[in-house]
Amino acid sequence: MLVEGPLETIDETRDWLRRHQGSEAQDIVFSDIRLADGLCFDALSELSRTSMLVFTTTYDEYALQVFRYNGIAYLLKPVDEEELRATLNRICDLRATNTGLQSILAMMQQSQQPYRERFLVPYKDGYEVVAVGDISHICTEYKDTRLYLTSGRFFSISMSVEEIEDQLNPRDFFRVNRQTIISIHAVSGLKTWFGGKLRVRLTNYPDTEVLCSREKASALKTWLGR
């Protein structure tokens, strides 16, 4: 494996990509969003269509734009070791198949799908519209998936937590454990807990116990502190 870089400017990056067009040196590219003289997107027109691009940056506002450039991962700094390892494993899995490029393109198309903005939930003899911005947290209780609102109300919905997680913007929502997804706007703080876990304090639900697993504790703190 040959590792080259770093490249600090747009012109330097553009020139390197041109000189290595189609070569193995472009197989995997790790890029920050902001280079010394501007945004990296100005240089990525020279990127090979078969290159795998991983963004490592402190700026989360470009998360959707990066997938136009074959971006397969968007890692916020400081980069979490587990997330980096998962990204590298995903790259290895894609390379191990005969449909690597098709898989990447499918991931890109899926990632460009708009995130859900509202839910239509059954209520009494009809339906009610619940805006995603009004959600405090989502959890499974007694095999029932519930949307808990900042107002204190909740609605049952015929979707699993896994299905809902895929449709929500990860910038605003985080799955802290198997049963629970929380909104970043509903978190008032964290408390250390037994076994390396964290207890999440929710603004409008002070008596609700939401525990984050030890494995996700670091990612949760990074998500809240960005």
Side-chain angles (χ1 to χ4, degrees):
M1 177 182 293
L2 176 65
V3 178
E4 295 191 32
L7 306 172
E8 298 182 354
T9 67
I10 294 172
D11 287 340
E12 186 179 2
T13 303
R14 185 184 289 119
D15 179 65
W16 186 92
L17 291 174
R18 286 173 179 168
R19 288 188 289 107
H20 295 84
Q21 188 68 240
S23 70
E24 291 185 0
Q26 268 204 53
D27 280 357
I28 306 173
V29 176
F30 287 80
S31 177
D32 204 333
I33 295 291
R34 297 188 180 179
L35 304 182
D37 56 348
L39 299 181
C40 67
F41 302 119
D42 294 331
L44 293 181
S45 58
E46 304 295 336
L47 187 69
S48 170
R49 292 290 297 170
T50 59
S51 299
M52 298 185 184
L53 180 60
V54 179
F55 285 86
T56 56
T57 180
T58 55
Y59 304 97
D60 60 359
E61 61 264 39
Y62 302 99
L64 294 181
Q65 186 176 355
V66 301
F67 291 102
R68 301 175 187 172
Y69 299 88
N70 291 1
I72 66 169
Y74 190 90
L75 306 178
L76 290 177
K77 293 180 180 179
V79 175
D80 181 76
E81 182 178 346
E82 291 184 6
E83 292 182 359
L84 177 59
R85 185 180 294 111
T87 297
L88 294 175
N89 288 337
R90 190 186 339 167
I91 290 172
C92 291
D93 290 341
L94 289 172
R95 286 185 158 199
T97 68
N98 294 325
T99 58
L101 181 57
Q102 288 78 6
S103 298
I104 295 172
L105 293 175
M107 290 168 58
M108 291 166 55
Q109 293 171 354
Q110 181 180 9
S111 298
Q112 292 184 53
Q113 294 297 320
Y115 293 113
R116 181 184 283 274
E117 296 181 357
R118 63 191 63 83
F119 291 89
L120 186 65
V121 297
Y123 182 70
K124 294 184 177 179
D125 57 349
Y127 296 88
E128 213 170 296
V129 175
V130 174
V132 165
D134 293 334
I135 295 175
S136 165
H137 59 288
I138 303 163
C139 65
T140 300
E141 298 180 8
Y142 309 106
K143 298 183 180 181
D144 179 30
T145 302
R146 297 179 177 181
L147 308 179
Y148 281 89
L149 309 188
T150 55
S151 64
R153 302 174 67 194
F154 77 84
F155 294 92
S156 296
I157 188 170
S158 59
M159 296 175 65
S160 67
V161 169
E162 289 79 9
E163 291 173 321
I164 295 174
E165 180 186 20
D166 290 338
Q167 298 177 30
L168 296 176
N169 191 334
R171 176 180 177 178
D172 299 320
F173 291 89
F174 187 92
R175 187 174 178 184
V176 291
N177 56 48
R178 290 183 180 181
Q179 296 82 22
T180 311
I181 299 171
I182 59 173
S183 166
I184 196 169
H185 305 294
V187 180
S188 61
L190 302 174
K191 183 177 182 179
T192 55
W193 211 246
F194 303 103
K197 297 179 180 180
L198 293 172
R199 179 174 179 177
V200 182
R201 297 202 308 269
L202 299 175
T203 301
N204 297 301
Y205 293 87
D207 298 325
T208 297
E209 183 173 282
V210 176
L211 296 180
C212 176
S213 64
R214 177 171 56 86
E215 293 75 18
K216 289 191 174 185
S218 177
L220 174 62
K221 288 187 287 187
T222 299
W223 177 71
L224 286 171
R226 57 178 167 76

